[in-house]
Amino acid sequence: MRIYLDHNATAPLGAAARDAMLRALAHGGNPSSPHQEGRAARHAVTTARLQVARAVGVSERDAERCVVFTSGATEANRLMLSAATRLLVSAIEHPSVAGPARRRAATLIAVDPHGRLDLAALATALSRGAPGAWLSVIWGHNELGVIQDVAALRALTREHGARLHLDATQVLGRLPIDFAALGCDALSVSSHKIGGPQGAGALVLASGVGLSDEAAGHQERGRRPGTENVPALVGFGAACEALPARLAAMPAVAALRDRLLRGLSGWVQPVVSPAEVPTLPNTLSLRAPGVEAEGLVMALDLAGVAVSQGAACSSGSAEPSPSLLALGLDEGAAREVFRVSLGPETTAEDIEEAVRRIARVLGHIAGGGA
Amino acid sequence: MKRRRVVVAMSGGVDSSVAAALMVERGYEVVGITMHLADAPPTERTGTCCAPDDANDARRVAAHLGIPHFVANYKSAFKTAVIDRFVADYQAGLTPSPCVRCNDVLKFKLLLSRARELEADALATGHYAQVLDGSHGPELHRANDRAKDQSYFLFGAQRDALAQVLFPVGGLTKPEVREVARRHDLPVAEKAESMDICFVPDGDYARFVEQHAAPRPGVITDEAGAVLASHAGVHRFTIGQRKGLGLGGGAPRFVIRIDGGEGRVVVGGAERLDSRGLRADRVNWLAQRSAGDAVLVRVRHGSEPVPATLVEADDHALVVRFDEPVRAVAPGQAAVLYDPARPSWVLGGGWIRESLAEVP
């Protein structure tokens, strides 16, 4: 029996999304065409947009203007950063933000050993000239699970006239999102983390936030031109419709996550402890001292358990994650960190069996692997 | 009955791909691992260890064979054990043999350890060599295809490692290997071979060393010490070299000695290149041998083993006296011993410390 514990990498396609996509695939049509086939496709995309808007707390009236469809959160992040002239980011951003930020010499804000943004350091950096600057922060961390204090980030940036972008890729479907109430200026979300298909995401923008229009096409009001991936967007929308059930399942997911941690307590330590800092209900960043995660992930795969290492990937093999190094781990310790991430589909049996298999593999490796 | 599990080191080349296919044929549960050893320069797509296309080729072969495949990041260990040592050896006036180091550290130690972690019974590679059962345990032998034999690079395998290492293509000729690849429809059946050291794909070792270390110019002298010319670094020279010395006309002169510490390259006539023996250290013994025993010795990968006698032999070092003088023995290379009675059998080997003009 395969036990899939890598939901932060991608989630299984939900039935609602699949059924909606199959219908869309049967219909075809280019949403930009004036005829019946085109209109049907246009309607499908509009419906999806409203579904996404509802899921993140954007009003129906604002949906067309505020929700920009993209191919995923990476593209949404890149699109967002391209509009920022002065940029501040945390030291633990996803590569889709960290890479461009580095290339543009963005100001890096340090995090504490739990991965929370250092607010004092942020205040200092903002006070050096903020108006018009953008702060981009990963709201719920894909590897560590740590959740940032977005209310505090909003207050600080507002105080200095700076704008706030939140990467909510791992938050959608796990915590409630109310874009209007948050008051942030931009938000990135992804379809395939919530049971929708890969290849779809959105950049949600507050009114008054403009993106360049290179006149490369008219779709998405010129902000992200190109024929829409109708089936994928339909699947994304359907997954958003199904979000309430996912959100409702999160307390149970958190309980299973805690059970896994307890079951392995003799073997592993959490890098960021859910007991000490708010973390995503489904995510565990773990370390078995003395055991390299690369080999552990391989051994677990062969034992039927899918987990992951630090997320950074270069030429096919994993490098120690910059986020772990930013937390203060040395390279050796960073190489020992692996990630377990659950989903609403994960059962108690899965977790019991996972604990057995992980403990057995760790026992074998720690015992000299002979 | 549960199948035996084997890890196959898959480089993306045809030899290791066929090794994987043969293990699948033999009924093993095969797990393919590609080692990521170095980041290829952006222009190189294949033919270097872990150029992106090579890893992709391995992946495709694995998918075709229906076996799991992983990429293992060994860049740090490779840099320390192989690349840094390569540069340091050249700067010390030695002629390095990085492929031996890679086998010793990356394959027989790290990858074998990973195979054990994965509960595999063995590690298989695409090397042309053989492990045969002997009266005293596993023996390392040359490949059937003498022209492809890579046993020279494998002498460092410890006995307990040999017990867990398999060389599935060692009994085949290269044409037979390509035939197996075609029979299995492997995507790499017609792939060209890479001939150079994997981390120096253009073969320009001198430039590689210069990119990794500060320049140390020095002088070229004759044996009496008279300075004949200057040079840009001892790494540009190897024993027996005649070209590129910048000495002008006259009788041919060859590099006969390199003093890395002093940065001095010593040249002399051809007759000075003849070596009567050598001293090697950091010896790995794969059989019991003592002073007085006859052996065959190979001082570089490309040459045939020659008859010699073991003059000194202890756990860590050896001295041999060649029956006939051997030209251009280069310190830094490996000296690998074979058994005269069974010339495919590798008795052990060590690192050439010194070429000896005379052996008592």
Side-chain angles (χ1 to χ4, degrees), chain B residues 139-315:
Chain B
E139 296 177 349
L140 177 65
H141 283 254
R142 287 199 261 181
N144 257 353
D145 189 333
R146 286 293 201 257
K148 300 295 301 178
D149 174 50
Q150 290 170 308
S151 63
Y152 179 79
F153 301 110
L154 298 165
F155 77 88
Q158 303 295 299
R159 297 292 288 271
D160 63 332
L162 273 187
Q164 287 194 289
V165 168
L166 301 170
F167 300 120
V169 304
L172 305 176
T173 64
K174 185 76 188 202
E176 284 169 345
V177 166
R178 288 218 186 259
E179 197 35 57
V180 174
R182 274 177 228 119
R183 189 173 79 233
H184 280 269
D185 260 323
L186 296 186
V188 296
E190 310 303 331
K191 188 172 173 183
E193 307 223 336
S194 65
M195 287 311 192
D196 277 304
I197 286 179
C198 71
F199 58 93
V200 190
D202 64 9
D204 193 343
Y205 308 147
R207 190 160 60 96
F208 184 88
V209 171
E210 283 150 20
Q211 283 168 348
H212 286 78
R216 289 193 207 163
V219 293
I220 302 180
T221 75
D222 63 19
E223 279 188 279
V227 174
L228 304 173
S230 62
H231 66 71
V234 297
H235 62 280
R236 291 166 166 261
F237 303 92
T238 189
I239 305 297
Q241 185 172 330
R242 180 181 174 175
K243 293 208 187 119
L245 302 182
L247 298 177
R253 277 176 289 197
F254 302 80
V255 173
I256 59 173
R257 203 170 71 243
I258 304 175
D259 289 331
E262 309 214 354
R264 198 157 63 107
V265 175
V266 180
V267 299
E271 73 290 351
R272 307 295 292 128
L273 281 175
D274 284 343
S275 167
R276 297 269 158 189
L278 62 81
R279 175 184 310 278
D281 57 19
R282 287 156 293 155
V283 176
N284 181 46
W285 289 107
L286 294 171
Q288 275 275 68
R289 284 297 181 273
S290 28
D293 289 346
V295 293
L296 299 173
V297 182
R298 186 182 238 164
V299 301
R300 65 179 61 83
H301 169 62
S303 60
E304 272 300 299
V306 297
T309 306
L310 258 183
V311 165
E312 282 171 39
D314 66 30
D315 283 350

Side-chain angles (χ1 to χ4, degrees), chain B:
Chain B
M1 193 178 90
K2 190 163 171 283
R3 286 183 303 163
R4 297 176 64 209
R5 179 180 284 172
V6 65
V7 166
V8 180
M10 295 180 73
S11 67
V14 64
D15 299 325
S16 57
S17 299
V18 165
L22 289 172
M23 298 311 297
V24 169
E25 257 181 28
R26 292 180 199 173
Y28 283 82
E29 186 209 337
V30 179
V31 177
I33 296 186
T34 296
M35 292 191 294
H36 185 179
L37 300 175
D39 284 327
T43 47
E44 299 292 337
R45 301 298 303 176
T46 70
T48 72
C49 267
C50 303
D53 287 354
D54 286 330
N56 283 338
D57 285 344
R59 228 173 241 129
R60 284 175 61 204
V61 170
H64 182 83
L65 293 172
I67 64 174
H69 173 263
F70 303 105
V71 179
N73 184 343
Y74 286 124
K75 290 197 303 190
S76 179
F78 188 74
K79 177 171 189 306
T80 311
V82 181
I83 295 182
D84 290 349
R85 169 78 177 263
F86 178 82
V87 172
D89 276 3
Y90 259 124
Q91 291 205 297
L94 305 172
T95 304
S97 200
C99 304
V100 178
R101 288 286 295 162
C102 181
N103 288 330
D104 285 353
V105 177
L106 277 301
K107 285 147 206 170
F108 297 138
K109 221 170 79 186
L110 294 178
L111 194 58
L112 184 54
S113 167
R114 175 62 57 85
R116 291 180 183 135
E117 270 184 11
L118 298 181
E119 298 177 86
D121 297 299
L123 168 69
T125 73
H127 283 111
Y128 285 91
Q130 303 184 82
V131 176
L132 305 176
D133 284 324
S135 41
H136 298 285
E139 296 177 349
L140 177 65
H141 283 254
R142 287 199 261 181
N144 257 353
D145 189 333
R146 286 293 201 257
K148 300 295 301 178
D149 174 50
Q150 290 170 308
S151 63
Y152 179 79
F153 301 110
L154 298 165
F155 77 88
Q158 303 295 299
R159 297 292 288 271
D160 63 332
L162 273 187
Q164 287 194 289
V165 168
L166 301 170
F167 300 120
V169 304
L172 305 176
T173 64
K174 185 76 188 202
E176 284 169 345
V177 166
R178 288 218 186 259
E179 197 35 57
V180 174
R182 274 177 228 119
R183 189 173 79 233
H184 280 269
D185 260 323
L186 296 186
V188 296
E190 310 303 331
K191 188 172 173 183
E193 307 223 336
S194 65
M195 287 311 192
D196 277 304
I197 286 179
C198 71
F199 58 93
V200 190
D202 64 9
D204 193 343
Y205 308 147
R207 190 160 60 96
F208 184 88
V209 171
E210 283 150 20
Q211 283 168 348
H212 286 78
R216 289 193 207 163
V219 293
I220 302 180
T221 75
D222 63 19
E223 279 188 279
V227 174
L228 304 173
S230 62
H231 66 71
V234 297
H235 62 280
R236 291 166 166 261
F237 303 92
T238 189
I239 305 297
Q241 185 172 330
R242 180 181 174 175
K243 293 208 187 119
L245 302 182
L247 298 177
R253 277 176 289 197
F254 302 80
V255 173
I256 59 173
R257 203 170 71 243
I258 304 175
D259 289 331
E262 309 214 354
R264 198 157 63 107
V265 175
V266 180
V267 299
E271 73 290 351
R272 307 295 292 128
L273 281 175
D274 284 343
S275 167
R276 297 269 158 189
L278 62 81
R279 175 184 310 278
D281 57 19
R282 287 156 293 155
V283 176
N284 181 46
W285 289 107
L286 294 171
Q288 275 275 68
R289 284 297 181 273
S290 28
D293 289 346
V295 293
L296 299 173
V297 182
R298 186 182 238 164
V299 301
R300 65 179 61 83
H301 169 62
S303 60
E304 272 300 299
V306 297
T309 306
L310 258 183
V311 165
E312 282 171 39
D314 66 30
D315 283 350
H316 308 290
L318 60 86
V319 174
V320 294
R321 184 196 310 116
F322 304 121
D323 286 10
E324 297 296 327
V326 172
R327 184 158 264 220
V329 170
Q333 291 280 281
V336 180
L337 308 183
Y338 299 81
D339 185 65
R342 297 166 64 211
S344 67
W345 184 18
V346 179
L347 301 174
W351 296 93
I352 301 174
R353 167 71 66 187
E354 205 187 335
S355 163
L356 302 171
E358 275 161 22
V359 183

Side-chain angles (χ1 to χ4, degrees), chain A residues 102-151:
Chain A
R102 199 167 39 242
R103 293 279 163 108
R104 298 167 50 189
T107 305
L108 221 64
I109 312 294
V111 296
D112 67 23
H114 293 299
R116 300 259 277 184
L117 212 71
D118 182 337
L119 295 174
L122 177 61
T124 307
L126 286 170
S127 67
R128 286 203 213 101
W134 277 90
L135 171 68
S136 176
V137 174
I138 183 166
W139 182 356
H141 200 268
N142 57 315
E143 295 170 45
L144 305 169
V146 60
I147 300 171
Q148 298 300 325
D149 182 352
V150 297

